[in-house]
Amino acid sequence: MSSVLDYIEANPQQAQRLIGLAYPELQKLLQNAEKSHHKNQALLESKKIRIISGGGGRKPKLSIKEQIILTLVYLRHMTTFQLLGIQFGVSESTANDTFNYWLPVLRELLPSSLIEQVKKKNLTMK
């Protein structure tokens, strides 16, 4: 488990400062995002034509909760993917891929104001 997720679960009052959501809101978001993720995965799996049965391959280093927290940390702090990778114990490209996977999922679940803040910051940095 990542130290960020451990810290938030040990200190729920700090969730707002770290990721921009209060702890009860975070719990709801995690539940809804997991449901959405499983629905998306089931849809993708139903479209695949398999020769070899599923279930093989490398397991992800981060749990679903940790992947969502990684995305929220990026949205809140706009750090580099290299630092996120170090913080969560994954490579820079994995941090980037994780963020880009979860952003559309969270865009449906989060208030648009948080996503718009990120867009504005990115546009002013370019």
Side-chain angles (χ1 to χ4, degrees), residues 5-89:
L5 183 57
D6 288 340
Y7 184 81
I8 289 172
E9 289 183 349
N11 303 287
Q13 70 278 9
Q14 296 296 319
Q16 182 76 38
R17 289 180 62 199
L18 290 172
I19 57 172
L21 295 171
Y23 190 72
E25 293 170 336
L26 173 63
Q27 293 301 317
K28 288 178 189 174
L29 177 66
L30 290 173
Q31 290 174 351
N32 292 335
E34 265 191 82
K35 286 179 189 175
S36 184
H37 168 71
H38 290 304
K39 187 174 90 176
N40 291 344
Q41 292 302 313
L43 181 65
L44 286 174
E45 193 63 34
S46 70
K47 293 181 180 181
K48 287 183 181 176
I49 299 172
R50 289 193 168 273
I51 297 173
I52 301 172
S53 63
R58 185 173 183 174
K59 304 296 180 213
K61 283 188 174 184
L62 298 175
S63 69
I64 292 173
K65 286 183 179 181
E66 290 170 323
Q67 292 176 30
I68 296 167
I69 295 293
L70 181 146
T71 304
L72 293 172
V73 167
Y74 180 83
L75 289 172
R76 177 72 172 176
H77 298 284
M78 298 298 293
T79 185
T80 65
F81 289 112
Q82 182 180 18
L83 280 175
L84 271 180
I86 292 167
Q87 193 172 17
F88 284 84

Side-chain angles (χ1 to χ4, degrees), residues 74-118:
Y74 180 83
L75 289 172
R76 177 72 172 176
H77 298 284
M78 298 298 293
T79 185
T80 65
F81 289 112
Q82 182 180 18
L83 280 175
L84 271 180
I86 292 167
Q87 193 172 17
F88 284 84
V90 295
S91 68
E92 179 179 358
S93 61
T94 298
N96 187 1
D97 293 345
T98 300
F99 172 78
N100 286 311
Y101 171 80
W102 284 102
L103 185 61
V105 174
L106 296 180
R107 184 174 277 144
E108 295 173 9
L109 302 172
L110 283 174
S112 61
S113 61
L114 186 59
I115 303 294
E116 293 305 317
Q117 288 174 10
V118 172

